[in-house]
Amino acid sequence: MSYYTLAEGCPYARNDTSVQVRNGSGGGLVLLQDTQLIETLAHFSRERIPERVVHAKAAGAYGVFECTNDCTDITSASFLNKVGKKTDVLWRVSTVGPESGSADTTRDVHGWAMKFYTDEGNLDWVFNNTPVFFVRDPIKFPSLNRSHKRHPRTHRPDANMFWDFHVGNPEGIHELIHLFSDRGTPASLRHMNAYSGHTYKFTKEDGSFKYIKVHIKSQIGVKNLSTEEATRIAGENPDFLLQDVFDAIESGNYPTWNVYVQVMDPKEAETYKWNIFDMTKVWPHQDFPLRQIGKLTLNRNPQNYFTDIEQAAFSPSTMVPGWAPSADPMLQARMFAYPDAARYRLGTNYQMLPTNKAQAPVYCPFQRDGLMNFSNNYGDDPNYVGSSLRPTSFAVNSAGKGPASTITEHEKWVGEVSTFTSTLQHEDFEQARGLWNVLGREPGHQDRYIANVSSNVKNVTSKELREKVYYLYHCVDPKLGQRLKEATEAKV
Ligand code: NDP
């Protein structure tokens, strides 16, 4: 277009001046009839939508997922039904605690979200760059995040609050080993691995299923910043990780990852030594080796950050046939909380926004109207079930069956209603110890870990609380507890 208009289309001669009643060449009174001025000011005040309460600072891009291995023995998911099949994806990777304007090299867990625009609707993966999490009971999720964010009085991150939460909720020790290891400060998002954390299910049309965990591994390997580098870069370029991935894609150096699953038969789950619905635990590789399913390539930057990335909404409840939830309580709670956050942040009809819209056909006439509805709203189609005017009808496949459900119908549950215990358990330290030993395989890594934690714990003002932190680490390994105490007390 060769000229500007108002938002309703009226051509406007000048966009750089308000209409004024002037006296000579000086300034004058502005007029209420200057619609351009009023709209400009009013819209500016409303440009911000609520920032995500967690995962606010993020990079985003588009790419493609390619199925590389035959998966038809474990899932009927359409995007995995043929080797070589490609599915468009949206990718968004974030820090968790700090705000949208914060430095992205700050030590933190990194969220890893993907939206697969499959031919059977959208599938969202809402993962992290660590294979475990701090808590296994969803009621603790807001508390965990508050303890990592700003103190209610000082409005600063607060070591007392952080460690008070963790000594009181020690099931997070495994994740704390990840957080303060070298992987807490990735050198780039291209050099980062990611994990489903939760157990999910691959399902088949015959009603059978397997439990799975997903692993996404960088093809260029894992690389991290030292704490000193991360701190320096945070001051010099707070958008360092965003810039790195944007520039790489822009120059055609497309980031790539291999995607794997660990597969467990439901029978094995019943007797396996770990509760597979506990998000603080991994499945050891030697028990459940990785099996490749695909490859991810990022190949296009967003055209507009707000439209493509800020308005993107991801939820573990966005699923396709062949992929299903497990009974992990954290996962079940996230399936409610994420769409709820999107409804608050973006509005009732967030699924219509271009970045969230399925590329597969959508027919959902029971979800209509609502604020900012910019669809045809299903015209005069019945908006109630059981209509004789438009009877319930399913497309039927060659076996005479309708579309597959994402719920595995033969999964049976029998149990008692009770509170879910999250209290200190001996086993919570076993895998944390395993990871501590993994760090020990790499020269200097355990030393760096102790330096990282002690630099943080030294800010805990209560000696009693510091002692509790040393005890937490003592339970992982008495030598670790002792070394941490010595290193910290020398800095206090
Ligand atoms: P393995 O010895 O078979 O594998 C250890 C895994 O740890 C590696 O495959 C690697 O996974 C990951 N790893 C290597 N170095 C680091 C590091 N510096 N920081 C974090 N992770 C690292 O061990 P197990 O499977 O028996 O697990 C032992 C411990 O390893 C666990 O307690 C767990 O915390 C950690 N781990 C296990 C994973 C799993 O799913 N089994 C995944 C990641 C970590 P990768 O190549 O995926 O990065």
Side-chain angles (χ1 to χ4, degrees):
M1 261 180 80
S2 58
Y3 56 90
Y4 289 100
T5 73
L6 295 182
E8 279 93 355
C10 174
Y12 219 81
R14 295 212 44 169
N15 62 6
D16 61 347
T17 177
S18 53
V19 180
Q20 299 178 9
V21 179
R22 296 153 68 99
N23 183 1
S25 59
L29 301 170
V30 294
L31 302 179
L32 203 51
Q33 72 174 42
D34 185 354
T35 305
Q36 179 176 233
L37 174 65
I38 306 292
E39 293 277 326
T40 300
L41 296 179
H43 196 276
F44 181 66
S45 306
R46 291 165 176 79
E47 277 177 10
R48 293 288 172 273
I49 59 174
E51 183 175 291
R52 287 165 164 88
V53 67
V54 281
H55 297 281
K57 169 85 180 207
Y62 290 98
V64 65
F65 174 89
E66 181 178 347
C67 174
T68 51
N69 300 67
D70 183 26
C71 305
T72 50
D73 60 321
I74 43 176
T75 178
S76 54
S78 164
F79 77 107
L80 290 170
N81 69 3
K82 194 158 176 269
V83 173
K85 185 165 182 175
K86 292 184 175 167
T87 300
D88 290 341
V89 298
L90 170 65
W91 173 92
R92 182 181 185 276
V93 170
S94 52
T95 48
V96 182
E99 297 81 3
S100 174
S102 61
D104 55 16
T105 56
T106 308
R107 180 175 300 284
D108 202 358
V109 172
H110 290 255
W112 175 289
M114 285 168 64
K115 189 177 291 294
F116 295 69
Y117 302 99
T118 91
D119 51 17
E120 286 193 325
N122 289 352
L123 168 68
D124 289 355
W125 284 1
V126 200
F127 298 174
N128 281 327
N129 75 331
T130 56
V132 290
F133 197 58
F134 296 105
V135 293
R136 54 175 162 253
D137 186 331
I139 203 157
K140 295 186 177 184
F141 186 81
S143 296
L144 159 74
N145 283 292
R146 288 195 199 106
S147 76
H148 285 209
K149 283 173 159 285
R150 293 177 186 275
H151 187 272
R153 180 160 187 231
T154 65
H155 199 52
R156 298 195 306 267
D158 186 284
N160 289 309
M161 197 166 73
F162 181 99
W163 289 106
D164 190 32
F165 177 85
H166 286 296
V167 297
N169 300 277
E171 68 272 26
I173 185 64
H174 190 180
E175 180 73 317
L176 283 171
I177 306 263
H178 279 284
L179 177 63
F180 285 95
S181 79
D182 290 353
R183 290 193 184 193
T185 49
S188 86
L189 304 179
R190 299 176 292 125
H191 289 92
M192 225 172 70
N193 292 350
Y195 309 87
S196 63
H198 300 296
T199 296
Y200 284 90
K201 288 186 308 206
F202 265 168
T203 64
K204 292 210 297 176
E205 281 178 7
D206 63 9
S208 65
F209 71 90
K210 300 282 185 199
Y211 288 119
I212 58 156
K213 278 188 189 274
V214 181
H215 296 243
I216 302 174
K217 289 198 183 214
S218 166
Q219 282 192 353
I220 53 173
V222 170
K223 199 170 148 198
N224 303 301
L225 298 172
S226 68
T227 303
E228 294 71 25
E229 286 169 324
T231 307
R232 176 179 54 76
I233 293 169
E236 289 176 0
N237 180 2
D239 305 309
F240 178 81
L241 297 182
L242 266 67
Q243 185 180 346
D244 173 86
V245 72
F246 187 96
D247 290 352
I249 294 171
E250 213 60 8
S251 67
N253 178 19
Y254 298 146
T256 47
W257 289 264
N258 292 331
V259 182
Y260 306 85
V261 286
Q262 289 178 289
V263 182
M264 185 188 293
D265 194 80
K267 272 272 158 250
E268 286 180 274
E270 287 170 18
T271 52
Y272 191 54
K273 60 184 168 184
W274 303 110
N275 175 356
I276 66 159
F277 306 130
D278 175 352
M279 213 191 167
T280 69
K281 305 288 186 300
V282 295
W283 301 354
H285 286 103
Q286 65 180 27
D287 293 349
F288 298 97
L290 301 185
R291 169 177 167 174
Q292 187 162 3
I293 59 170
K295 184 179 122 177
L296 166 69
T297 306
L298 302 181
N299 56 18
R300 182 162 60 91
N301 279 314
Q303 195 54 37
N304 180 278
Y305 185 86
F306 182 85
T307 313
D308 297 355
I309 309 301
E310 191 62 14
Q311 291 200 122
F314 302 89
S315 168
S317 59
T318 303
M319 298 188 171
V320 291
W323 172 275
S326 78
D328 177 340
M330 288 291 292
L331 172 58
Q332 297 277 326
R334 292 177 74 211
M335 289 172 69
F336 156 73
Y338 283 61
D340 189 51
R343 285 186 280 267
Y344 164 69
R345 202 171 59 83
L346 301 165
T348 315
N349 286 308
Y350 71 95
Q351 288 132 326
M352 289 181 194
L353 291 167
T355 196
N356 298 324
K357 196 168 156 36
Q359 288 175 9
V362 173
Y363 186 72
C364 184
F366 312 110
Q367 194 170 311
R368 60 209 296 175
D369 303 354
L371 277 180
M372 307 300 284
N373 188 324
F374 47 90
S375 70
N376 71 0
N377 207 25
Y378 299 100
D380 63 355
D381 288 6
N383 59 1
Y384 47 89
V385 297
S387 167
S388 61
L389 303 174
R390 188 181 173 112
T392 311
S393 66
F394 294 118
V396 173
N397 66 16
S398 53
K401 291 172 79 179
S405 161
T406 55
I407 307 295
T408 315
E409 274 137 31
H410 79 212
E411 193 174 17
K412 301 270 188 300
W413 285 89
V414 179
E416 287 170 19
V417 176
S418 69
T419 51
F420 178 62
T421 174
S422 277
T423 50
L424 185 59
Q425 294 176 16
H426 170 69
E427 308 92 76
D428 287 334
F429 295 100
E430 213 173 297
Q431 290 201 354
R433 191 172 304 123
L435 179 58
W436 177 244
N437 293 332
V438 169
L439 302 194
R441 292 177 199 163
E442 211 183 308
H445 202 160
Q446 290 186 340
D447 299 337
R448 294 193 293 279
Y449 185 91
I450 287 171
N452 292 340
V453 180
S454 57
S455 298
N456 193 304
V457 181
K458 74 164 197 252
N459 298 317
V460 173
T461 49
S462 148
K463 174 105 173 49
E464 197 187 337
L465 182 53
R466 292 202 300 276
E467 288 295 338
K468 286 182 184 167
V469 176
Y470 308 143
Y471 181 71
L472 182 68
Y473 280 95
H474 167 94
C475 296
V476 176
D477 179 334
K479 271 200 223 133
L480 166 58
Q482 186 57 31
R483 286 183 65 192
L484 180 61
K485 178 172 178 168
E486 287 165 11
T488 307
E489 294 302 317
K491 293 177 185 171
V492 171

